[in-house]
Amino acid sequence: MIKLGIIYGGTSTEHDISEMSAKSVIENLDKEKYEIHELFINRYGKWFECKGDKKEEIYNLIWTLKDLDVAFPVLHGKGGEDGTIQGMLEMLEIPYVGCGVLSSSIGMDKVYTKIIFERAGIPQTPYIYIKKKDDKFIIVNENFDEEEFEIEKILSKLKFPMFVKPSNSGSSVGVKKATNNEELKMAIMNASQFDTKILVEQGVIGKEVECAVLDEDELQVSTVGEIMPAEEFYSFDAKYNIPDSKTIIPAKITESQIEEIRKLALKAFRAIDGKGLSRVDFFIENETNKIYINEINTMPGFTKISMYPKLFEAAGISYSELLDKLIKNALI
Ligand SMILES: Nc1ncnc2c1ncn2[C@@H]1O[C@H](COP(=O)(O)OP(=O)(O)O)[C@@H](O)[C@H]1O
Ligand SMILES: [Mg+2]
């Protein structure tokens, strides 16, 4: 039996999503193969081991973790998907599922993801990097020099609609669409509640598609799935609260577009020095059919109906098999 620690919950805005993902993972793990240890982090950062209905607070975390053969941090967002827990597991020499410290932290930070993708030559929408410093906004230019914030600087580089996002966030928390100056200012203020680094991006009007990468002996890349958000864009509510958001696998796009996206997904995974798994998200612009990368998620949603497992299911790899592969890869 492999002693497997499923770490979930966490202090990020995606606590609930992590609980949903972990529940699915635990349900679908082969109980003959794994001795499962459920390690729950509450919203305040306290750790518990769950045994049946009982939650026991963990007093010696290092001891508890060191007893595992392998850990699966089914955590999304800050403190889970950003390299911090990965760093702790590295220090304790505990093998773990998924991306390492560097790739996790790049993937979590939208500004730095953009910088790496730029270097890799992966097409993406133009953007402006804003920072909040001492209650004032500043623009950080391409050379990382800090300039005075002026709305005109944004308007001269980007067209409406724009998307404003906290650099470190997930599940669309803090993400707003802006169609005029007023909305833009409000969206920047709003995003600054979640992070001091803010990204303003040119909006793409088109399809939203996703592709899954799995690190086996060789990198496996799935087909492409399409998101049909129930709201104007794929907001938090459209993701989790409105059952009308749909996914279509494979996406209704051409064969050559699918091939192009698969290639770009692999490139993105390599560019961030990915390991284990990632879901790579793209837009396809209606007017031009151009493909733009949106982001890479190093710990994508993992419920049974999430896009990542569904994309591999379409290739004949069941959810349980997928978990086995991920865990096996962590132990190599
Ligand atoms: N540049 C953009 N053009 C069009 N829609 C966008 C753009 N950026 C974000 N969105 C919409 O907002 C959603 C959330 O943004 P995203 O960058 O994926 O953040 P998160 O990491 O929270 O998922 C996307 O799924 C998409 O629907
Ligand atoms: Mg996203």
PDB file of all heavy atoms in Angstrom, residues 257-280:
ATOM      1  N   GLN A 257      -6.732  23.661 -36.190  1.00  0.00           N
ATOM      2  CA  GLN A 257      -6.732  24.510 -34.982  1.00  0.00           C
ATOM      3  C   GLN A 257      -6.458  23.662 -33.736  1.00  0.00           C
ATOM      4  O   GLN A 257      -5.708  24.070 -32.852  1.00  0.00           O
ATOM      5  CB  GLN A 257      -8.077  25.230 -34.827  1.00  0.00           C
ATOM      6  CG  GLN A 257      -8.216  26.439 -35.742  1.00  0.00           C
ATOM      7  CD  GLN A 257      -9.589  27.067 -35.636  1.00  0.00           C
ATOM      8  OE1 GLN A 257     -10.601  26.368 -35.549  1.00  0.00           O
ATOM      9  NE2 GLN A 257      -9.642  28.384 -35.646  1.00  0.00           N
ATOM     10  N   ILE A 258      -7.058  22.465 -33.703  1.00  0.00           N
ATOM     11  CA  ILE A 258      -6.816  21.565 -32.565  1.00  0.00           C
ATOM     12  C   ILE A 258      -5.325  21.228 -32.494  1.00  0.00           C
ATOM     13  O   ILE A 258      -4.702  21.309 -31.427  1.00  0.00           O
ATOM     14  CB  ILE A 258      -7.687  20.287 -32.675  1.00  0.00           C
ATOM     15  CG1 ILE A 258      -9.147  20.656 -32.413  1.00  0.00           C
ATOM     16  CG2 ILE A 258      -7.195  19.196 -31.710  1.00  0.00           C
ATOM     17  CD1 ILE A 258     -10.124  19.519 -32.282  1.00  0.00           C
ATOM     18  N   GLU A 259      -4.749  20.894 -33.645  1.00  0.00           N
ATOM     19  CA  GLU A 259      -3.317  20.544 -33.665  1.00  0.00           C
ATOM     20  C   GLU A 259      -2.445  21.712 -33.205  1.00  0.00           C
ATOM     21  O   GLU A 259      -1.508  21.529 -32.444  1.00  0.00           O
ATOM     22  CB  GLU A 259      -2.907  20.081 -35.075  1.00  0.00           C
ATOM     23  CG  GLU A 259      -3.207  18.625 -35.345  1.00  0.00           C
ATOM     24  CD  GLU A 259      -2.993  17.714 -34.133  1.00  0.00           C
ATOM     25  OE1 GLU A 259      -1.857  17.678 -33.611  1.00  0.00           O
ATOM     26  OE2 GLU A 259      -3.955  17.066 -33.681  1.00  0.00           O
ATOM     27  N   GLU A 260      -2.773  22.900 -33.680  1.00  0.00           N
ATOM     28  CA  GLU A 260      -2.011  24.089 -33.306  1.00  0.00           C
ATOM     29  C   GLU A 260      -2.076  24.327 -31.791  1.00  0.00           C
ATOM     30  O   GLU A 260      -1.067  24.619 -31.142  1.00  0.00           O
ATOM     31  CB  GLU A 260      -2.581  25.295 -34.082  1.00  0.00           C
ATOM     32  CG  GLU A 260      -1.888  26.619 -33.859  1.00  0.00           C
ATOM     33  CD  GLU A 260      -0.423  26.636 -34.279  1.00  0.00           C
ATOM     34  OE1 GLU A 260      -0.028  25.774 -35.083  1.00  0.00           O
ATOM     35  OE2 GLU A 260       0.315  27.507 -33.758  1.00  0.00           O
ATOM     36  N   ILE A 261      -3.279  24.191 -31.241  1.00  0.00           N
ATOM     37  CA  ILE A 261      -3.467  24.415 -29.802  1.00  0.00           C
ATOM     38  C   ILE A 261      -2.713  23.368 -28.991  1.00  0.00           C
ATOM     39  O   ILE A 261      -2.082  23.681 -27.971  1.00  0.00           O
ATOM     40  CB  ILE A 261      -4.974  24.446 -29.465  1.00  0.00           C
ATOM     41  CG1 ILE A 261      -5.552  25.772 -29.976  1.00  0.00           C
ATOM     42  CG2 ILE A 261      -5.229  24.280 -27.974  1.00  0.00           C
ATOM     43  CD1 ILE A 261      -7.039  25.843 -30.042  1.00  0.00           C
ATOM     44  N   ARG A 262      -2.734  22.128 -29.447  1.00  0.00           N
ATOM     45  CA  ARG A 262      -2.007  21.065 -28.724  1.00  0.00           C
ATOM     46  C   ARG A 262      -0.501  21.378 -28.706  1.00  0.00           C
ATOM     47  O   ARG A 262       0.170  21.204 -27.699  1.00  0.00           O
ATOM     48  CB  ARG A 262      -2.265  19.709 -29.366  1.00  0.00           C
ATOM     49  CG  ARG A 262      -3.728  19.286 -29.239  1.00  0.00           C
ATOM     50  CD  ARG A 262      -3.983  17.983 -29.943  1.00  0.00           C
ATOM     51  NE  ARG A 262      -3.483  16.856 -29.181  1.00  0.00           N
ATOM     52  CZ  ARG A 262      -2.934  15.786 -29.690  1.00  0.00           C
ATOM     53  NH1 ARG A 262      -2.801  15.677 -31.004  1.00  0.00           N
ATOM     54  NH2 ARG A 262      -2.499  14.823 -28.921  1.00  0.00           N
ATOM     55  N   LYS A 263      -0.019  21.850 -29.843  1.00  0.00           N
ATOM     56  CA  LYS A 263       1.412  22.202 -29.915  1.00  0.00           C
ATOM     57  C   LYS A 263       1.746  23.337 -28.952  1.00  0.00           C
ATOM     58  O   LYS A 263       2.750  23.305 -28.243  1.00  0.00           O
ATOM     59  CB  LYS A 263       1.746  22.666 -31.345  1.00  0.00           C
ATOM     60  CG  LYS A 263       2.443  21.618 -32.172  1.00  0.00           C
ATOM     61  CD  LYS A 263       3.041  22.282 -33.395  1.00  0.00           C
ATOM     62  CE  LYS A 263       2.558  21.547 -34.628  1.00  0.00           C
ATOM     63  NZ  LYS A 263       2.527  22.355 -35.824  1.00  0.00           N
ATOM     64  N   LEU A 264       0.879  24.354 -28.960  1.00  0.00           N
ATOM     65  CA  LEU A 264       1.116  25.509 -28.084  1.00  0.00           C
ATOM     66  C   LEU A 264       1.006  25.129 -26.610  1.00  0.00           C
ATOM     67  O   LEU A 264       1.723  25.662 -25.769  1.00  0.00           O
ATOM     68  CB  LEU A 264       0.151  26.644 -28.425  1.00  0.00           C
ATOM     69  CG  LEU A 264       0.367  27.336 -29.778  1.00  0.00           C
ATOM     70  CD1 LEU A 264      -0.768  28.324 -30.062  1.00  0.00           C
ATOM     71  CD2 LEU A 264       1.707  28.072 -29.814  1.00  0.00           C
ATOM     72  N   ALA A 265       0.097  24.177 -26.299  1.00  0.00           N
ATOM     73  CA  ALA A 265      -0.068  23.740 -24.910  1.00  0.00           C
ATOM     74  C   ALA A 265       1.225  23.079 -24.417  1.00  0.00           C
ATOM     75  O   ALA A 265       1.692  23.339 -23.308  1.00  0.00           O
ATOM     76  CB  ALA A 265      -1.249  22.784 -24.786  1.00  0.00           C
ATOM     77  N   LEU A 266       1.807  22.255 -25.264  1.00  0.00           N
ATOM     78  CA  LEU A 266       3.073  21.608 -24.901  1.00  0.00           C
ATOM     79  C   LEU A 266       4.186  22.637 -24.716  1.00  0.00           C
ATOM     80  O   LEU A 266       4.977  22.562 -23.779  1.00  0.00           O
ATOM     81  CB  LEU A 266       3.503  20.636 -26.000  1.00  0.00           C
ATOM     82  CG  LEU A 266       2.873  19.251 -25.969  1.00  0.00           C
ATOM     83  CD1 LEU A 266       3.401  18.414 -27.116  1.00  0.00           C
ATOM     84  CD2 LEU A 266       3.156  18.556 -24.641  1.00  0.00           C
ATOM     85  N   LYS A 267       4.200  23.588 -25.622  1.00  0.00           N
ATOM     86  CA  LYS A 267       5.218  24.647 -25.557  1.00  0.00           C
ATOM     87  C   LYS A 267       5.078  25.441 -24.253  1.00  0.00           C
ATOM     88  O   LYS A 267       6.072  25.735 -23.594  1.00  0.00           O
ATOM     89  CB  LYS A 267       5.024  25.560 -26.773  1.00  0.00           C
ATOM     90  CG  LYS A 267       6.222  26.408 -27.154  1.00  0.00           C
ATOM     91  CD  LYS A 267       5.858  27.113 -28.454  1.00  0.00           C
ATOM     92  CE  LYS A 267       6.787  28.209 -28.834  1.00  0.00           C
ATOM     93  NZ  LYS A 267       8.104  27.828 -29.266  1.00  0.00           N
ATOM     94  N   ALA A 268       3.848  25.742 -23.900  1.00  0.00           N
ATOM     95  CA  ALA A 268       3.600  26.500 -22.664  1.00  0.00           C
ATOM     96  C   ALA A 268       4.053  25.697 -21.452  1.00  0.00           C
ATOM     97  O   ALA A 268       4.663  26.241 -20.524  1.00  0.00           O
ATOM     98  CB  ALA A 268       2.114  26.836 -22.550  1.00  0.00           C
ATOM     99  N   PHE A 269       3.762  24.405 -21.470  1.00  0.00           N
ATOM    100  CA  PHE A 269       4.145  23.527 -20.356  1.00  0.00           C
ATOM    101  C   PHE A 269       5.666  23.500 -20.216  1.00  0.00           C
ATOM    102  O   PHE A 269       6.211  23.607 -19.122  1.00  0.00           O
ATOM    103  CB  PHE A 269       3.591  22.127 -20.626  1.00  0.00           C
ATOM    104  CG  PHE A 269       3.730  21.165 -19.474  1.00  0.00           C
ATOM    105  CD1 PHE A 269       2.856  21.237 -18.391  1.00  0.00           C
ATOM    106  CD2 PHE A 269       4.706  20.175 -19.469  1.00  0.00           C
ATOM    107  CE1 PHE A 269       2.965  20.344 -17.328  1.00  0.00           C
ATOM    108  CE2 PHE A 269       4.816  19.274 -18.412  1.00  0.00           C
ATOM    109  CZ  PHE A 269       3.947  19.355 -17.338  1.00  0.00           C
ATOM    110  N   ARG A 270       6.330  23.383 -21.343  1.00  0.00           N
ATOM    111  CA  ARG A 270       7.797  23.367 -21.305  1.00  0.00           C
ATOM    112  C   ARG A 270       8.354  24.733 -20.901  1.00  0.00           C
ATOM    113  O   ARG A 270       9.343  24.813 -20.181  1.00  0.00           O
ATOM    114  CB  ARG A 270       8.361  22.987 -22.677  1.00  0.00           C
ATOM    115  CG  ARG A 270       8.066  21.564 -23.045  1.00  0.00           C
ATOM    116  CD  ARG A 270       9.025  21.061 -24.113  1.00  0.00           C
ATOM    117  NE  ARG A 270       8.689  19.705 -24.466  1.00  0.00           N
ATOM    118  CZ  ARG A 270       8.013  19.372 -25.562  1.00  0.00           C
ATOM    119  NH1 ARG A 270       7.626  20.293 -26.422  1.00  0.00           N
ATOM    120  NH2 ARG A 270       7.738  18.106 -25.802  1.00  0.00           N
ATOM    121  N   ALA A 271       7.700  25.786 -21.387  1.00  0.00           N
ATOM    122  CA  ALA A 271       8.202  27.145 -21.113  1.00  0.00           C
ATOM    123  C   ALA A 271       8.234  27.444 -19.612  1.00  0.00           C
ATOM    124  O   ALA A 271       9.142  28.108 -19.126  1.00  0.00           O
ATOM    125  CB  ALA A 271       7.354  28.183 -21.834  1.00  0.00           C
ATOM    126  N   ILE A 272       7.233  26.937 -18.881  1.00  0.00           N
ATOM    127  CA  ILE A 272       7.243  27.204 -17.431  1.00  0.00           C
ATOM    128  C   ILE A 272       8.013  26.119 -16.679  1.00  0.00           C
ATOM    129  O   ILE A 272       8.070  26.119 -15.456  1.00  0.00           O
ATOM    130  CB  ILE A 272       5.822  27.361 -16.829  1.00  0.00           C
ATOM    131  CG1 ILE A 272       5.031  26.040 -16.882  1.00  0.00           C
ATOM    132  CG2 ILE A 272       5.043  28.486 -17.488  1.00  0.00           C
ATOM    133  CD1 ILE A 272       3.883  26.002 -15.875  1.00  0.00           C
ATOM    134  N   ASP A 273       8.581  25.160 -17.423  1.00  0.00           N
ATOM    135  CA  ASP A 273       9.298  24.031 -16.805  1.00  0.00           C
ATOM    136  C   ASP A 273       8.331  23.169 -16.002  1.00  0.00           C
ATOM    137  O   ASP A 273       8.604  22.783 -14.862  1.00  0.00           O
ATOM    138  CB  ASP A 273      10.442  24.558 -15.906  1.00  0.00           C
ATOM    139  CG  ASP A 273      11.398  23.449 -15.505  1.00  0.00           C
ATOM    140  OD1 ASP A 273      11.490  22.443 -16.246  1.00  0.00           O
ATOM    141  OD2 ASP A 273      12.039  23.568 -14.440  1.00  0.00           O
ATOM    142  N   GLY A 274       7.180  22.879 -16.627  1.00  0.00           N
ATOM    143  CA  GLY A 274       6.114  22.117 -15.965  1.00  0.00           C
ATOM    144  C   GLY A 274       6.494  20.681 -15.664  1.00  0.00           C
ATOM    145  O   GLY A 274       7.397  20.106 -16.272  1.00  0.00           O
ATOM    146  N   LYS A 275       5.753  20.115 -14.717  1.00  0.00           N
ATOM    147  CA  LYS A 275       5.933  18.714 -14.346  1.00  0.00           C
ATOM    148  C   LYS A 275       4.567  18.167 -13.917  1.00  0.00           C
ATOM    149  O   LYS A 275       3.754  18.918 -13.371  1.00  0.00           O
ATOM    150  CB  LYS A 275       6.925  18.623 -13.182  1.00  0.00           C
ATOM    151  CG  LYS A 275       7.365  17.222 -12.844  1.00  0.00           C
ATOM    152  CD  LYS A 275       8.451  17.240 -11.774  1.00  0.00           C
ATOM    153  CE  LYS A 275       8.747  15.838 -11.299  1.00  0.00           C
ATOM    154  NZ  LYS A 275       7.742  15.295 -10.374  1.00  0.00           N
ATOM    155  N   GLY A 276       4.325  16.906 -14.167  1.00  0.00           N
ATOM    156  CA  GLY A 276       3.099  16.270 -13.692  1.00  0.00           C
ATOM    157  C   GLY A 276       1.889  16.551 -14.557  1.00  0.00           C
ATOM    158  O   GLY A 276       1.467  15.722 -15.351  1.00  0.00           O
ATOM    159  N   LEU A 277       1.336  17.738 -14.395  1.00  0.00           N
ATOM    160  CA  LEU A 277       0.125  18.058 -15.144  1.00  0.00           C
ATOM    161  C   LEU A 277      -0.071  19.563 -15.252  1.00  0.00           C
ATOM    162  O   LEU A 277       0.500  20.327 -14.467  1.00  0.00           O
ATOM    163  CB  LEU A 277      -1.109  17.467 -14.452  1.00  0.00           C
ATOM    164  CG  LEU A 277      -1.621  18.178 -13.189  1.00  0.00           C
ATOM    165  CD1 LEU A 277      -3.063  17.808 -12.930  1.00  0.00           C
ATOM    166  CD2 LEU A 277      -0.779  17.847 -11.979  1.00  0.00           C
ATOM    167  N   SER A 278      -0.863  19.956 -16.200  1.00  0.00           N
ATOM    168  CA  SER A 278      -1.328  21.340 -16.333  1.00  0.00           C
ATOM    169  C   SER A 278      -2.488  21.379 -17.314  1.00  0.00           C
ATOM    170  O   SER A 278      -2.572  20.527 -18.199  1.00  0.00           O
ATOM    171  CB  SER A 278      -0.234  22.267 -16.885  1.00  0.00           C
ATOM    172  OG  SER A 278       0.715  22.590 -15.901  1.00  0.00           O
ATOM    173  N   ARG A 279      -3.340  22.362 -17.139  1.00  0.00           N
ATOM    174  CA  ARG A 279      -4.358  22.637 -18.159  1.00  0.00           C
ATOM    175  C   ARG A 279      -4.025  23.992 -18.758  1.00  0.00           C
ATOM    176  O   ARG A 279      -3.784  24.951 -18.032  1.00  0.00           O
ATOM    177  CB  ARG A 279      -5.746  22.653 -17.522  1.00  0.00           C
ATOM    178  CG  ARG A 279      -6.889  22.549 -18.549  1.00  0.00           C
ATOM    179  CD  ARG A 279      -8.232  22.892 -17.939  1.00  0.00           C
ATOM    180  NE  ARG A 279      -8.294  24.322 -17.684  1.00  0.00           N
ATOM    181  CZ  ARG A 279      -8.779  24.863 -16.567  1.00  0.00           C
ATOM    182  NH1 ARG A 279      -9.245  24.123 -15.588  1.00  0.00           N
ATOM    183  NH2 ARG A 279      -8.794  26.177 -16.420  1.00  0.00           N
ATOM    184  N   VAL A 280      -3.998  24.032 -20.090  1.00  0.00           N
ATOM    185  CA  VAL A 280      -3.602  25.271 -20.749  1.00  0.00           C
ATOM    186  C   VAL A 280      -4.822  25.833 -21.475  1.00  0.00           C
ATOM    187  O   VAL A 280      -5.487  25.122 -22.230  1.00  0.00           O
ATOM    188  CB  VAL A 280      -2.427  25.035 -21.723  1.00  0.00           C
ATOM    189  CG1 VAL A 280      -1.830  26.363 -22.164  1.00  0.00           C
ATOM    190  CG2 VAL A 280      -1.344  24.161 -21.093  1.00  0.00           C
TER     191      VAL A 280
END
